[in-house]
Amino acid sequence: MKKHNFCAGPSILPKEVIIQAAESVLDINESGLSLLEISHRSKTFIDIMEEARSLVLDLTKLNGEDYSVLFLQGGASSQFSMVPYNILSTKAAYLDTGAWSNKAIKEAKLFGDVNVIASSKDSNYNYIPDYKIPDDYDYFHCTSNNTIYGTQIHKFKASKTPVICDMSSDIFSRELEFSKFDLIYAGAQKNLGPAGATLVIVKNNILGKVSREIPSMMDYNVHINKCSIYNTPPVFPVYVSLLNMKWLKNNGGIKTIEEINTKKANLLYSEIDINPLFKGHAKEVDRSIMNVTFNLVNDDFKETFNSMISNAGIIGINGHRSIGGYRASMYNALPIESVKVLVEVMSELENKI
Ligand SMILES: Cc1ncc(COP(=O)(O)O)c(C=O)c1O
């Protein structure tokens, strides 16, 4: 039976990307060798890394003179400390929009003063709080899309203070003026590729200002100077991320995928809004187009709904353990047909009851 993969991450990738990735494990570029057994310093891999880095600039329309692109390891979680290690001299401003922002805040406190300028904790993070970016801070940090709660920042404010953004769960899902950001990071395993690579896009002029010593592996400049091959990079995740970015570009790029993602989100949110059995978690204005969170109004229907979901081949829509309910993650590779199947099951439940 066809599976409809709504997993939050690691998550769905385009079928053709998975096929090409599988082929590369058997034989990369008809070289007679597997991608997994060639040197990361071979021309084959250096070309892969260079193409991946330049495709990131191409998709974001950023200029390679001002910005550097890195594929690191350690997940987005390692960026929670790498950012302040490299950029926090005295004080940083953070927006608290949920569990991931909290983890970033906790790490930053090890390096300097942290001012949480706004939070939506009072309401179980179901909205994006209003905020004003202060001027005299080393940087401002925010999370563009809150994977667990299904909220998303729809408009980013311009600022004199450098803006750092965790885009782990919505990178390349919508058009943004990427030049508004001074540093963007994302764990690959949602919208970019498989788990194991971490994308960092950094504006060169924000680096080199802290006076502390930085261990080499934590130092952005060390990785930049070695073109993201300071040590052995995550070879396979970088290659699959490259294939996925090529897929995105060949299918119309970010503009086209944003239109499709918006259609998918509208379809599901409309059902949540008209079906009396369901209630959305996130406030309407701050709803995410990537992760849609919702609950059954009456938990008595849970067993029936769960079995209907599983009979329809839908997987991965359990809510995060911290908030319960349901969460449909609809990353770039998820076809609209899968969303239609979910919506049909929701409306069938209404007819049944
Ligand atoms: C917004 C956000 N930030 C950070 C993380 C942590 O990423 P990683 O597991 O790559 O450290 C996640 C993981 O789901 C996330 O959704």
Side-chain angles (χ1 to χ4, degrees):
M1 190 216 302
K2 182 169 168 39
K3 296 284 182 203
H4 303 284
N5 183 355
F6 289 89
C7 285
S11 47
I12 189 163
L13 288 169
K15 191 99 221 143
E16 52 264 56
V17 166
I18 292 183
I19 292 169
Q20 274 179 282
E23 281 165 4
S24 79
V25 172
L26 297 172
D27 185 353
I28 180 82
N29 299 348
E30 298 176 352
S31 63
L33 293 168
S34 164
L35 170 63
L36 306 183
E37 59 183 0
I38 60 168
S39 167
H40 60 290
R41 307 229 177 254
S42 62
K43 180 167 179 340
T44 305
F45 185 72
I46 289 172
D47 289 350
I48 290 169
M49 178 62 100
E50 278 321 294
E51 197 178 355
R53 293 171 79 211
S54 73
L55 208 40
V56 170
L57 293 172
D58 181 350
L59 288 167
T60 51
K61 302 192 175 84
L62 287 172
N63 136 12
E65 308 265 290
D66 296 334
Y67 285 86
S68 297
V69 177
L70 301 171
F71 283 92
L72 304 177
Q73 301 187 58
S77 300
S78 67
Q79 295 307 309
F80 297 160
S81 47
M82 204 159 160
V83 164
Y85 221 139
N86 284 265
I87 306 164
L88 177 47
S89 291
T90 51
K91 54 181 183 168
Y94 276 69
L95 185 66
D96 172 24
T97 53
W100 298 116
S101 319
N102 263 284
K103 289 193 171 175
I105 289 165
K106 178 174 173 248
E107 300 300 309
K109 283 182 178 167
L110 300 172
F111 298 90
D113 290 336
V114 172
N115 181 3
V116 178
I117 56 166
S119 169
S120 49
K121 191 174 180 185
D122 59 348
S123 184
N124 200 13
Y125 297 113
N126 71 345
Y127 69 102
I128 302 291
D130 196 19
Y131 63 95
K132 187 172 177 301
I133 304 175
D135 275 349
D136 51 344
Y137 277 69
D138 295 325
Y139 64 86
F140 163 70
H141 178 283
C142 59
T143 312
S144 55
N145 184 69
N146 299 284
T147 330
I148 297 175
Y149 312 90
T151 60
Q152 190 171 31
I153 300 177
H154 292 296
K155 272 215 170 103
F156 289 89
K157 306 192 180 192
S159 146
K160 279 193 222 147
T161 304
V163 176
I164 315 284
C165 188
D166 174 358
M167 289 195 193
S168 292
S169 51
D170 65 353
I171 186 97
F172 302 151
S173 66
R174 55 176 170 163
E175 285 206 300
L176 286 175
E177 217 181 299
F178 288 96
S179 58
K180 273 189 179 167
F181 302 92
D182 297 83
L183 190 149
I184 294 165
Y185 62 88
Q189 68 275 15
K190 296 164 196 304
N191 235 1
L192 183 59
T198 313
L199 173 66
V200 175
I201 309 169
V202 56
K203 197 165 188 184
N204 303 320
N205 69 7
I206 65 165
L207 299 176
K209 295 186 179 166
V210 293
S211 55
R212 70 175 66 87
E213 296 268 334
I214 306 175
S216 307
M217 277 300 285
M218 298 293 285
D219 189 337
Y220 291 123
N221 271 328
V222 167
H223 292 283
I224 293 169
N225 290 336
K226 297 290 180 187
C227 303
S228 204
I229 313 192
Y230 166 68
N231 70 320
T232 316
V235 171
F236 187 66
V238 171
Y239 180 64
V240 185
S241 299
L242 168 63
L243 295 177
N244 200 31
M245 288 189 285
K246 281 186 178 172
W247 170 86
L248 178 57
K249 194 172 173 184
N250 294 339
N251 284 281
I254 298 183
K255 187 176 187 308
T256 305
I257 207 77
E258 180 176 12
E259 285 164 15
I260 300 169
N261 287 336
T262 306
K263 272 193 198 141
K264 292 189 293 193
N266 287 344
L267 191 62
L268 184 50
Y269 283 122
S270 310
E271 180 62 25
I272 291 169
D273 291 341
I274 57 159
N275 190 325
L277 301 183
F278 294 95
K279 191 175 180 304
H281 173 76
K283 281 205 178 146
E284 222 171 305
V285 285
D286 298 320
R287 282 173 161 176
S288 164
I289 60 164
M290 290 281 98
N291 310 96
V292 177
T293 47
F294 58 100
N295 289 281
L296 274 165
V297 171
N298 183 342
D299 266 349
D300 291 349
F301 307 137
K302 197 169 164 183
E303 217 173 290
T304 314
F305 185 52
N306 286 354
S307 94
M308 288 168 73
I309 284 170
S310 115
N311 290 341
I314 292 168
I315 61 152
I317 70 157
N318 278 345
H320 188 267
R321 57 197 178 278
S322 61
I323 69 160
Y326 296 93
R327 167 176 56 175
S329 298
M330 307 194 297
Y331 299 119
N332 289 351
L334 184 87
I336 195 157
E337 288 67 35
S338 292
V339 184
K340 287 182 183 160
V341 170
L342 173 59
V343 165
E344 268 163 33
V345 171
M346 292 165 79
S347 94
E348 245 175 67
L349 182 73
E350 190 193 356
N351 296 337
K352 223 179 200 180
I353 280 159

